[in-house]
Short mmCIF file of all heavy atoms in Angstrom, two decimals:
data_model
loop_
_atom_site.label_atom_id
_atom_site.label_comp_id
_atom_site.label_asym_id
_atom_site.label_seq_id
_atom_site.Cartn_x
_atom_site.Cartn_y
_atom_site.Cartn_z
N LEU A 84 83.92 92.49 113.43
CA LEU A 84 82.74 91.67 113.72
C LEU A 84 82.89 90.27 113.14
O LEU A 84 82.45 89.29 113.74
CB LEU A 84 81.51 92.36 113.14
CG LEU A 84 80.14 91.77 113.51
CD1 LEU A 84 79.88 91.93 115.00
CD2 LEU A 84 79.05 92.45 112.70
N VAL A 210 81.55 95.64 128.17
CA VAL A 210 80.57 95.99 127.15
C VAL A 210 80.06 94.74 126.43
O VAL A 210 78.84 94.61 126.19
CB VAL A 210 81.18 96.98 126.14
CG1 VAL A 210 80.21 97.27 125.01
CG2 VAL A 210 81.57 98.28 126.84
N ARG A 211 80.94 93.83 126.08
CA ARG A 211 80.52 92.64 125.35
C ARG A 211 79.51 91.81 126.16
O ARG A 211 78.46 91.44 125.60
CB ARG A 211 81.74 91.81 124.99
CG ARG A 211 81.41 90.58 124.15
CD ARG A 211 82.66 89.90 123.67
NE ARG A 211 82.36 88.83 122.73
CZ ARG A 211 83.27 88.20 122.01
NH1 ARG A 211 84.54 88.54 122.12
NH2 ARG A 211 82.93 87.24 121.19
N PRO A 212 79.75 91.49 127.43
CA PRO A 212 78.73 90.75 128.20
C PRO A 212 77.41 91.50 128.33
O PRO A 212 76.34 90.89 128.31
CB PRO A 212 79.40 90.53 129.56
CG PRO A 212 80.86 90.63 129.30
CD PRO A 212 81.00 91.64 128.21
N LEU A 214 76.10 93.65 126.16
CA LEU A 214 75.39 93.55 124.89
C LEU A 214 74.81 92.16 124.70
O LEU A 214 73.69 92.01 124.18
CB LEU A 214 76.34 93.89 123.73
CG LEU A 214 76.76 95.36 123.59
CD1 LEU A 214 77.81 95.51 122.50
CD2 LEU A 214 75.56 96.24 123.29
N ALA A 215 75.56 91.13 125.10
CA ALA A 215 75.04 89.77 124.98
C ALA A 215 73.80 89.57 125.86
O ALA A 215 72.82 88.94 125.46
CB ALA A 215 76.13 88.77 125.37
N ALA A 218 70.84 91.40 124.25
CA ALA A 218 70.31 90.70 123.09
C ALA A 218 69.55 89.44 123.48
O ALA A 218 68.65 89.00 122.76
CB ALA A 218 71.45 90.34 122.14
N GLY A 261 83.85 96.20 116.87
CA GLY A 261 83.41 95.04 116.09
C GLY A 261 83.87 93.74 116.72
O GLY A 261 83.11 92.76 116.79
N VAL A 262 85.11 93.71 117.21
CA VAL A 262 85.62 92.52 117.89
C VAL A 262 84.83 92.26 119.17
O VAL A 262 84.57 91.10 119.53
CB VAL A 262 87.12 92.69 118.21
CG1 VAL A 262 87.62 91.53 119.08
CG2 VAL A 262 87.93 92.78 116.93
N ALA A 263 84.42 93.34 119.86
CA ALA A 263 83.72 93.21 121.13
C ALA A 263 82.26 92.80 120.99
O ALA A 263 81.64 92.38 121.97
CB ALA A 263 83.81 94.52 121.91
N MET A 264 81.69 92.93 119.81
CA MET A 264 80.29 92.54 119.63
C MET A 264 80.10 91.06 119.93
O MET A 264 80.88 90.23 119.46
CB MET A 264 79.82 92.84 118.20
CG MET A 264 79.58 94.31 117.94
SD MET A 264 78.12 94.95 118.80
CE MET A 264 76.80 94.18 117.88
N PRO A 265 79.09 90.70 120.72
CA PRO A 265 78.91 89.29 121.08
C PRO A 265 78.48 88.45 119.89
O PRO A 265 77.78 88.91 119.00
CB PRO A 265 77.80 89.34 122.15
CG PRO A 265 77.04 90.58 121.82
CD PRO A 265 78.06 91.57 121.31
N ARG A 266 78.93 87.21 119.89
CA ARG A 266 78.53 86.26 118.84
C ARG A 266 77.24 85.55 119.21
O ARG A 266 76.48 85.16 118.34
CB ARG A 266 79.63 85.22 118.63
CG ARG A 266 80.69 85.57 117.58
CD ARG A 266 81.33 86.88 117.83
NE ARG A 266 82.37 87.19 116.86
CZ ARG A 266 82.98 88.36 116.80
NH1 ARG A 266 82.65 89.33 117.63
NH2 ARG A 266 83.91 88.59 115.90
N GLU A 267 77.00 85.34 120.50
CA GLU A 267 75.82 84.62 120.95
C GLU A 267 74.66 85.58 121.15
O GLU A 267 74.83 86.69 121.64
CB GLU A 267 76.10 83.89 122.27
CG GLU A 267 77.26 82.91 122.21
CD GLU A 267 78.61 83.58 122.33
OE1 GLU A 267 78.64 84.77 122.70
OE2 GLU A 267 79.62 82.92 122.03
N GLY A 268 73.47 85.14 120.78
CA GLY A 268 72.26 85.91 121.05
C GLY A 268 71.89 86.92 119.99
O GLY A 268 70.81 87.50 120.05
N VAL A 269 72.77 87.16 119.02
CA VAL A 269 72.45 88.16 117.99
C VAL A 269 72.56 87.55 116.59
O VAL A 269 72.75 88.26 115.61
CB VAL A 269 73.39 89.39 118.10
CG1 VAL A 269 73.13 90.16 119.37
CG2 VAL A 269 74.86 88.96 118.03
N ARG A 273 72.27 89.43 112.97
CA ARG A 273 73.31 89.38 111.96
C ARG A 273 72.74 88.99 110.60
O ARG A 273 73.09 89.58 109.57
CB ARG A 273 74.38 88.35 112.35
CG ARG A 273 75.28 88.77 113.50
CD ARG A 273 76.07 87.57 114.01
NE ARG A 273 77.05 87.97 114.99
CZ ARG A 273 78.32 88.25 114.72
NH1 ARG A 273 78.75 88.17 113.49
NH2 ARG A 273 79.14 88.62 115.67
#
Side-chain angles (χ1 to χ4, degrees):
L84 189 66
V210 175
R211 183 173 187 170
L214 289 174
V262 173
M264 285 290 289
R266 270 54 178 173
E267 302 80 13
V269 293
R273 287 167 173 266

